[in-house]
Structure formats: structure tokens, C-alpha cells
Amino acid sequence: MALDPPKKRKRRKSTKKKDKPYYVNAGEFKEKIVQYYDSGTDDIGPDLGQSIYKIAKGLSFAPNFINYSYKDDMVGDAIVKMFSALQNKKFNPDKNTNPFSYFTTIAFHAFINRIKKEKKQRDILSEYQEHVYDNLSSAGYIVDTGPQSNEGSEDE
């Protein structure tokens, strides 16, 4: 019995960072921020706006945020918070060396705050539903709470 030689695995072509759709170069990002601060206008410009969008959208694909149904709301909140930080000149280019990290942290906290808001809304709705179901059942109405298990049923 002869053994077949092991098959060679095809190597996956590695993608360069700049080829990734949500990559933001920290050095270029910092230059854009400094230019915006020096311009003295309220116009952020398309390049800086695109970088902000890429940071928020890229963070939404992180494993801890990927499965939320309100991910677009999280991205929107993050963009608003990052634009607000830019307009208020919260980032100090002389003190901080990595604007990507600074703005990613802002986006991260905006995501967490959206999750907290949605959880609070869900808890309020659940509490209201329990209150309504309790009132209906105490008034003698039959409340159908969904499919029930058939354990102990004679149909098995």
C-alpha cells in the first residue's frame, strides 16, 4: 500500500494594508487633520471625511460588533462623534502622535453607547410587555406567549 505524497496547499495572496477597503494611514490622516486645523474653515473636506468614515465602518467589522442589527446606527453615531471632535479641535497633533488610535477610541465609545441605548430600549419594551401580559392574564384572558414545548404529549 503506497501512500500519496502530501498535497501542497495553495498560498493565499496576502493583501497589503493599503489594498484593504477601510485602511487609514495614520501619518496621512494626521497631515489632513493639521491642514484642517490650519485652514480655519468649517469645511472638513472629502479626504478627511472619507478617513473618518473608514475608521467607523472598519471598526464595525470587529468581532465584538459584527452581529448587531443596528450596526448602521452605531457607525452613524461614531461618525457624528468623530466630526464633533474634529470641529472642536479635541485632537492635539503636538501632543498625540497617532490620530487613528484617538479617533478609533471615540468610535469605540460611540458604539458602546449605542449598544447601551438599544439595551435600555429593549428592557423597557420587555418590561411593558410583561406588565400587559400580567394584567391580561389576571383579568381572565388567555394569553398566548408563543409556541410551547410538547414534552409529555401523547402524540409522540
Side-chain angles (χ1 to χ4, degrees):
M1 186 161 123
L3 295 174
D4 292 333
K7 293 181 181 179
K8 281 190 171 183
R9 290 185 185 178
K10 289 185 179 180
R11 262 194 157 166
R12 189 185 301 176
K13 185 179 176 184
S14 65
T15 57
K16 295 178 183 175
K17 284 184 178 179
K18 290 187 178 184
D19 293 338
K20 294 183 179 181
Y22 302 111
Y23 174 74
V24 176
N25 184 319
E28 292 173 7
F29 186 44
K30 185 175 182 178
E31 288 175 20
K32 292 174 191 173
I33 292 172
V34 170
Q35 287 173 358
Y36 168 69
Y37 285 175
D38 291 342
S39 71
T41 65
D42 287 339
D43 183 27
I44 288 181
D47 292 338
L48 191 53
Q50 188 68 23
S51 296
I52 294 290
Y53 173 77
K54 285 181 178 182
I55 290 171
K57 192 68 173 174
L59 183 61
S60 74
F61 291 109
N64 43 345
F65 301 123
I66 194 83
N67 289 324
Y68 287 100
S69 60
Y70 41 87
K71 193 164 61 165
D72 291 336
D73 294 334
M74 292 168 29
V75 170
D77 289 350
I79 290 171
V80 168
K81 290 288 186 185
M82 288 188 283
F83 272 128
S84 175
L86 262 178
Q87 287 178 332
N88 295 327
K89 298 184 179 182
K90 296 280 185 177
F91 177 75
N92 185 352
D94 299 330
K95 204 160 112 178
N96 300 327
T97 58
N98 191 354
F100 177 79
S101 172
Y102 182 83
F103 285 95
T104 301
T105 302
I106 291 173
F108 181 85
H109 289 292
F111 280 24
I112 297 298
N113 287 337
R114 170 55 65 178
I115 291 169
K116 287 178 182 176
K117 285 179 187 174
E118 294 290 336
K119 183 181 183 313
K120 186 176 179 182
Q121 287 291 86
R122 189 177 61 239
D123 290 345
I124 289 170
L125 180 64
S126 178
E127 188 178 309
Y128 173 73
Q129 287 174 339
E130 284 181 27
H131 176 72
V132 168
Y133 292 153
D134 288 344
N135 286 345
L136 287 175
S137 62
S138 66
Y141 292 99
I142 298 173
V143 179
D144 183 14
T145 57
Q148 304 294 322
S149 66
N150 290 332
E151 287 185 27
S153 153
E154 294 178 18
D155 296 337
E156 292 179 4

Coordinates of all heavy atoms in Angstrom, one line a residue, residues 80-139:
V80 N -20.7 61.0 13.7 CA -21.1 62.2 14.3 C -20.1 62.6 15.5 O -19.7 63.8 15.6 CB -22.5 62.2 14.9 CG1 -22.9 63.4 15.7 CG2 -23.5 62.1 13.7
K81 N -19.8 61.7 16.3 CA -18.9 62.0 17.4 C -17.5 62.4 16.9 O -16.8 63.3 17.5 CB -18.7 60.8 18.4 CG -20.0 60.5 19.2 CD -20.2 61.5 20.2 CE -21.4 61.1 21.1 NZ -21.7 62.2 22.1
M82 N -17.0 61.7 15.9 CA -15.6 62.0 15.4 C -15.6 63.4 14.7 O -14.7 64.1 14.9 CB -15.1 60.9 14.5 CG -14.8 59.6 15.2 SD -14.0 58.4 14.2 CE -15.4 57.7 13.3
F83 N -16.7 63.7 13.9 CA -16.8 65.0 13.3 C -16.8 66.1 14.4 O -16.2 67.1 14.3 CB -18.0 65.1 12.4 CG -17.7 64.7 11.0 CD1 -18.5 63.7 10.4 CD2 -16.7 65.2 10.3 CE1 -18.3 63.3 9.1 CE2 -16.4 64.8 9.0 CZ -17.2 63.8 8.4
S84 N -17.6 65.8 15.4 CA -17.7 66.8 16.5 C -16.3 67.0 17.2 O -15.9 68.2 17.5 CB -18.7 66.3 17.6 OG -18.7 67.1 18.7
A85 N -15.6 65.9 17.4 CA -14.2 66.1 18.0 C -13.3 66.9 17.0 O -12.5 67.7 17.5 CB -13.6 64.7 18.3
L86 N -13.4 66.7 15.7 CA -12.6 67.4 14.8 C -13.0 68.9 14.8 O -12.1 69.7 14.8 CB -12.8 66.9 13.4 CG -11.8 65.9 12.8 CD1 -12.2 65.4 11.4 CD2 -10.4 66.5 12.8
Q87 N -14.3 69.2 14.7 CA -14.7 70.6 14.7 C -14.3 71.3 16.0 O -14.0 72.5 15.9 CB -16.2 70.7 14.4 CG -16.5 70.3 13.0 CD -18.0 70.3 12.8 OE1 -18.8 70.1 13.7 NE2 -18.4 70.6 11.5
N88 N -14.3 70.6 17.1 CA -14.0 71.3 18.4 C -12.5 71.2 18.6 O -12.0 71.6 19.7 CB -14.8 70.6 19.5 CG -16.2 70.9 19.4 OD1 -16.7 71.9 18.9 ND2 -17.0 69.9 19.8
K89 N -11.7 70.7 17.7 CA -10.3 70.6 17.7 C -9.8 69.9 19.0 O -8.9 70.3 19.7 CB -9.6 71.9 17.6 CG -10.0 72.6 16.3 CD -9.3 73.9 16.1 CE -9.6 74.4 14.7 NZ -9.0 75.6 14.3
K90 N -10.4 68.7 19.3 CA -10.1 67.9 20.5 C -8.8 67.2 20.4 O -8.1 67.0 21.3 CB -11.2 66.9 20.8 CG -12.5 67.5 21.1 CD -12.6 67.9 22.5 CE -14.0 68.4 22.9 NZ -14.1 68.8 24.2
F91 N -8.4 66.9 19.1 CA -7.1 66.2 18.9 C -6.0 67.2 18.8 O -6.1 68.2 18.1 CB -7.2 65.4 17.6 CG -5.9 64.7 17.2 CD1 -5.5 63.6 17.9 CD2 -5.1 65.2 16.3 CE1 -4.3 62.9 17.6 CE2 -3.9 64.6 16.0 CZ -3.5 63.4 16.6
N92 N -5.0 67.0 19.7 CA -3.8 67.8 19.7 C -2.7 67.2 18.9 O -2.1 66.3 19.5 CB -3.4 68.1 21.2 CG -2.3 69.1 21.3 OD1 -1.7 69.5 20.3 ND2 -2.0 69.5 22.5
P93 N -2.4 67.6 17.7 CA -1.3 67.0 16.9 C 0.1 67.1 17.5 O 1.0 66.3 17.3 CB -1.4 67.7 15.6 CG -2.3 68.8 15.7 CD -3.0 68.7 17.0
D94 N 0.3 68.1 18.4 CA 1.6 68.3 19.0 C 1.8 67.3 20.1 O 2.9 66.8 20.4 CB 1.7 69.7 19.6 CG 1.6 70.8 18.5 OD1 2.0 70.5 17.4 OD2 1.1 71.9 18.9
K95 N 0.7 66.9 20.8 CA 0.8 66.0 21.9 C 0.6 64.5 21.5 O 1.4 63.7 22.0 CB -0.3 66.4 22.9 CG 0.0 66.0 24.4 CD -0.9 66.8 25.3 CE -1.9 66.0 26.0 NZ -2.7 66.7 26.9
N96 N -0.4 64.3 20.7 CA -0.7 62.9 20.3 C 0.0 62.6 18.9 O 0.0 63.4 18.0 CB -2.2 62.7 20.1 CG -2.9 63.0 21.4 OD1 -2.4 62.7 22.5 ND2 -4.1 63.5 21.3
T97 N 0.6 61.4 18.8 CA 1.3 61.0 17.6 C 0.4 60.1 16.7 O 0.7 60.0 15.5 CB 2.5 60.2 17.9 OG1 2.2 59.1 18.7 CG2 3.5 61.1 18.7
N98 N -0.7 59.5 17.2 CA -1.5 58.6 16.4 C -2.9 59.0 16.4 O -3.7 58.6 17.3 CB -1.3 57.2 17.0 CG -1.9 56.2 16.0 OD1 -2.5 56.5 15.0 ND2 -1.7 54.9 16.3
P99 N -3.4 59.8 15.4 CA -4.8 60.2 15.4 C -5.7 59.0 15.1 O -6.8 59.1 15.5 CB -4.8 61.2 14.3 CG -3.7 60.9 13.4 CD -2.6 60.3 14.3
F100 N -5.2 58.0 14.4 CA -6.0 56.9 14.1 C -6.5 56.2 15.4 O -7.7 55.9 15.6 CB -5.3 55.9 13.3 CG -6.0 54.6 13.0 CD1 -7.0 54.6 12.0 CD2 -5.8 53.5 13.7 CE1 -7.7 53.4 11.7 CE2 -6.5 52.3 13.5 CZ -7.5 52.3 12.5
S101 N -5.6 56.1 16.3 CA -6.0 55.5 17.6 C -6.9 56.4 18.4 O -7.9 55.9 19.0 CB -4.7 55.3 18.5 OG -5.0 54.9 19.8
Y102 N -6.7 57.7 18.4 CA -7.6 58.6 19.1 C -9.0 58.5 18.6 O -10.0 58.4 19.3 CB -7.0 60.0 18.9 CG -7.8 61.1 19.6 CD1 -7.6 61.3 21.0 CD2 -8.7 61.9 19.0 CE1 -8.3 62.3 21.6 CE2 -9.4 62.9 19.6 CZ -9.2 63.1 20.9 OH -9.9 64.1 21.6
F103 N -9.2 58.6 17.2 CA -10.5 58.6 16.7 C -11.1 57.2 16.7 O -12.4 57.1 16.8 CB -10.5 59.2 15.2 CG -10.3 60.7 15.2 CD1 -9.1 61.2 15.1 CD2 -11.4 61.5 15.4 CE1 -8.9 62.6 15.2 CE2 -11.3 62.9 15.4 CZ -10.0 63.4 15.3
T104 N -10.4 56.1 16.7 CA -10.9 54.8 16.8 C -11.5 54.6 18.2 O -12.5 54.0 18.4 CB -9.8 53.7 16.6 OG1 -9.4 53.9 15.2 CG2 -10.4 52.3 16.7
T105 N -10.8 55.2 19.2 CA -11.3 55.2 20.6 C -12.7 55.9 20.7 O -13.6 55.5 21.4 CB -10.3 55.8 21.6 OG1 -9.1 55.0 21.4 CG2 -10.8 55.7 23.0
I106 N -12.8 57.1 20.0 CA -14.0 57.8 20.0 C -15.1 57.0 19.4 O -16.2 56.9 19.9 CB -13.9 59.2 19.3 CG1 -13.0 60.1 20.1 CG2 -15.2 59.8 19.0 CD1 -12.6 61.4 19.3
A107 N -14.8 56.3 18.3 CA -15.8 55.5 17.6 C -16.2 54.3 18.5 O -17.4 53.9 18.6 CB -15.2 55.0 16.3
F108 N -15.2 53.7 19.1 CA -15.5 52.5 20.0 C -16.5 52.9 21.1 O -17.5 52.2 21.4 CB -14.2 52.1 20.6 CG -14.3 50.9 21.5 CD1 -14.4 49.6 21.0 CD2 -14.5 51.0 22.9 CE1 -14.5 48.5 21.8 CE2 -14.6 49.9 23.7 CZ -14.7 48.7 23.2
H109 N -16.2 54.1 21.7 CA -17.1 54.5 22.8 C -18.5 54.9 22.3 O -19.5 54.7 22.9 CB -16.5 55.7 23.6 CG -15.4 55.3 24.4 ND1 -15.5 54.5 25.5 CD2 -14.0 55.6 24.3 CE1 -14.3 54.3 26.1 NE2 -13.4 54.9 25.3
A110 N -18.6 55.4 21.1 CA -19.9 55.7 20.4 C -20.7 54.4 20.2 O -21.9 54.3 20.4 CB -19.7 56.5 19.1
F111 N -19.9 53.3 19.8 CA -20.6 52.0 19.6 C -21.1 51.5 20.9 O -22.3 51.0 20.9 CB -19.6 51.0 19.0 CG -19.3 51.2 17.5 CD1 -19.5 52.3 16.8 CD2 -18.8 50.1 16.8 CE1 -19.3 52.4 15.5 CE2 -18.6 50.2 15.4 CZ -18.8 51.3 14.8
I112 N -20.3 51.6 21.9 CA -20.7 51.1 23.2 C -22.0 51.8 23.7 O -22.9 51.2 24.3 CB -19.6 51.2 24.3 CG1 -18.4 50.3 23.8 CG2 -20.1 50.8 25.7 CD1 -18.7 48.8 23.7
N113 N -22.0 53.1 23.6 CA -23.1 54.0 24.0 C -24.4 53.6 23.2 O -25.5 53.5 23.8 CB -22.8 55.4 23.9 CG -21.8 55.9 24.9 OD1 -21.7 55.3 26.0 ND2 -21.2 57.0 24.6
R114 N -24.3 53.3 21.9 CA -25.4 52.9 21.1 C -25.9 51.6 21.6 O -27.2 51.3 21.8 CB -25.1 52.8 19.6 CG -26.1 52.2 18.8 CD -27.5 52.8 18.9 NE -27.5 54.2 18.4 CZ -28.6 54.9 18.4 NH1 -29.8 54.5 18.8 NH2 -28.5 56.2 17.9
I115 N -25.0 50.6 22.0 CA -25.5 49.3 22.5 C -26.2 49.5 23.8 O -27.2 48.9 24.0 CB -24.2 48.4 22.6 CG1 -23.7 48.0 21.3 CG2 -24.6 47.1 23.4 CD1 -22.3 47.3 21.3
K116 N -25.7 50.4 24.7 CA -26.4 50.6 25.9 C -27.8 51.2 25.7 O -28.7 50.8 26.4 CB -25.6 51.6 26.8 CG -24.3 51.0 27.4 CD -23.5 52.0 28.2 CE -22.3 51.4 28.8 NZ -21.5 52.4 29.5
K117 N -27.9 52.2 24.8 CA -29.2 52.8 24.5 C -30.2 51.7 24.0 O -31.4 51.7 24.4 CB -29.1 53.9 23.4 CG -28.5 55.1 23.9 CD -28.4 56.1 22.8 CE -27.6 57.4 23.2 NZ -27.4 58.3 22.1
E118 N -29.7 50.9 23.1 CA -30.6 49.8 22.5 C -31.0 48.8 23.6 O -32.1 48.4 23.6 CB -29.9 49.1 21.3 CG -29.7 50.0 20.1 CD -30.9 50.4 19.4 OE1 -31.9 49.7 19.5 OE2 -30.9 51.4 18.7
K119 N -30.1 48.5 24.4 CA -30.4 47.5 25.5 C -31.5 48.1 26.5 O -32.4 47.5 26.9 CB -29.2 47.2 26.3 CG -29.4 46.1 27.4 CD -28.2 45.8 28.2 CE -28.3 44.8 29.2 NZ -29.5 44.9 30.1
K120 N -31.3 49.4 26.8 CA -32.3 50.1 27.6 C -33.7 50.1 27.0 O -34.7 49.8 27.6 CB -31.8 51.5 27.9 CG -32.6 52.3 28.9 CD -32.1 53.6 29.2 CE -32.9 54.4 30.2 NZ -32.4 55.7 30.4
Q121 N -33.7 50.4 25.7 CA -35.0 50.4 24.9 C -35.6 49.0 25.0 O -36.8 48.8 25.2 CB -34.8 50.8 23.5 CG -34.5 52.3 23.3 CD -35.8 53.1 23.7 OE1 -36.0 53.4 24.8 NE2 -36.6 53.4 22.7
R122 N -34.8 48.0 24.7 CA -35.3 46.6 24.7 C -35.8 46.2 26.1 O -36.8 45.5 26.2 CB -34.1 45.6 24.3 CG -34.6 44.2 24.1 CD -33.5 43.3 23.5 NE -32.4 43.2 24.5 CZ -31.1 43.6 24.2 NH1 -30.8 44.1 23.1 NH2 -30.2 43.5 25.1
D123 N -35.1 46.6 27.2 CA -35.5 46.3 28.5 C -36.9 47.0 28.9 O -37.7 46.4 29.5 CB -34.5 46.7 29.6 CG -33.2 45.8 29.5 OD1 -33.3 44.7 28.9 OD2 -32.2 46.2 30.1
I124 N -37.0 48.2 28.4 CA -38.3 49.0 28.7 C -39.4 48.3 27.9 O -40.5 48.1 28.5 CB -38.1 50.4 28.2 CG1 -37.2 51.2 29.1 CG2 -39.5 51.1 28.1 CD1 -36.8 52.6 28.6
L125 N -39.2 47.9 26.7 CA -40.2 47.2 25.9 C -40.6 45.8 26.6 O -41.8 45.5 26.7 CB -39.8 47.0 24.5 CG -40.8 46.2 23.6 CD1 -42.0 47.1 23.4 CD2 -40.1 46.0 22.2
S126 N -39.6 45.1 27.0 CA -39.8 43.8 27.7 C -40.6 44.0 29.0 O -41.5 43.2 29.3 CB -38.5 43.1 27.9 OG -38.7 41.9 28.6
E127 N -40.3 45.0 29.7 CA -41.0 45.3 31.0 C -42.4 45.6 30.7 O -43.3 45.2 31.4 CB -40.2 46.4 31.7 CG -40.7 46.7 33.1 CD -39.9 47.8 33.8 OE1 -38.7 47.7 33.8 OE2 -40.6 48.7 34.3
Y128 N -42.7 46.4 29.7 CA -44.0 46.8 29.3 C -44.8 45.6 28.9 O -46.0 45.4 29.3 CB -44.0 47.9 28.2 CG -45.4 48.2 27.7 CD1 -46.3 48.9 28.4 CD2 -45.8 47.7 26.4 CE1 -47.5 49.2 28.0 CE2 -47.0 48.0 26.0 CZ -47.9 48.8 26.7 OH -49.1 49.0 26.2
Q129 N -44.2 44.7 28.1 CA -44.9 43.6 27.6 C -45.3 42.6 28.8 O -46.4 42.1 28.9 CB -44.1 42.8 26.6 CG -44.0 43.5 25.3 CD -43.0 42.8 24.3 OE1 -42.1 42.1 24.8 NE2 -43.2 43.0 23.1
E130 N -44.4 42.5 29.7 CA -44.7 41.6 30.9 C -45.8 42.2 31.7 O -46.7 41.5 32.2 CB -43.4 41.5 31.8 CG -42.4 40.6 31.3 CD -41.2 40.5 32.2 OE1 -41.4 40.7 33.4 OE2 -40.1 40.2 31.7
H131 N -45.8 43.6 31.9 CA -46.9 44.2 32.6 C -48.2 44.0 31.9 O -49.2 43.7 32.6 CB -46.6 45.7 32.7 CG -47.6 46.6 33.3 ND1 -47.9 46.5 34.7 CD2 -48.5 47.4 32.8 CE1 -48.9 47.3 35.0 NE2 -49.3 47.9 33.9
V132 N -48.3 44.2 30.6 CA -49.5 44.0 29.8 C -50.0 42.5 29.9 O -51.2 42.2 30.2 CB -49.4 44.4 28.4 CG1 -50.5 44.0 27.5 CG2 -49.2 45.9 28.3
Y133 N -49.1 41.6 29.8 CA -49.4 40.2 29.8 C -50.0 39.8 31.2 O -50.9 39.0 31.4 CB -48.3 39.3 29.5 CG -47.8 39.3 28.0 CD1 -46.5 39.1 27.7 CD2 -48.7 39.7 27.0 CE1 -46.1 39.1 26.3 CE2 -48.4 39.7 25.7 CZ -47.1 39.5 25.4 OH -46.7 39.5 24.1
D134 N -49.3 40.3 32.3 CA -49.8 40.1 33.6 C -51.2 40.6 33.9 O -52.1 40.0 34.5 CB -48.9 40.7 34.7 CG -47.5 39.9 34.8 OD1 -47.4 38.8 34.3 OD2 -46.6 40.5 35.3
N135 N -51.5 41.8 33.4 CA -52.8 42.4 33.5 C -53.9 41.6 32.7 O -55.0 41.4 33.2 CB -52.8 43.9 33.0 CG -52.1 44.8 34.0 OD1 -51.9 44.4 35.2 ND2 -51.8 46.0 33.5
L136 N -53.5 41.2 31.5 CA -54.5 40.4 30.7 C -54.8 39.0 31.4 O -55.9 38.6 31.4 CB -54.0 40.2 29.3 CG -54.0 41.5 28.4 CD1 -53.3 41.1 27.1 CD2 -55.4 41.9 28.2
S137 N -53.7 38.4 31.9 CA -53.9 37.1 32.4 C -54.7 37.2 33.8 O -55.5 36.3 34.1 CB -52.6 36.3 32.6 OG -51.8 37.0 33.5
S138 N -54.5 38.2 34.5 CA -55.2 38.4 35.8 C -56.7 38.8 35.6 O -57.5 38.5 36.4 CB -54.5 39.4 36.7 OG -54.6 40.7 36.1
A139 N -57.0 39.3 34.4 CA -58.3 39.7 34.1 C -59.1 38.5 33.5 O -60.3 38.6 33.1 CB -58.3 40.9 33.1

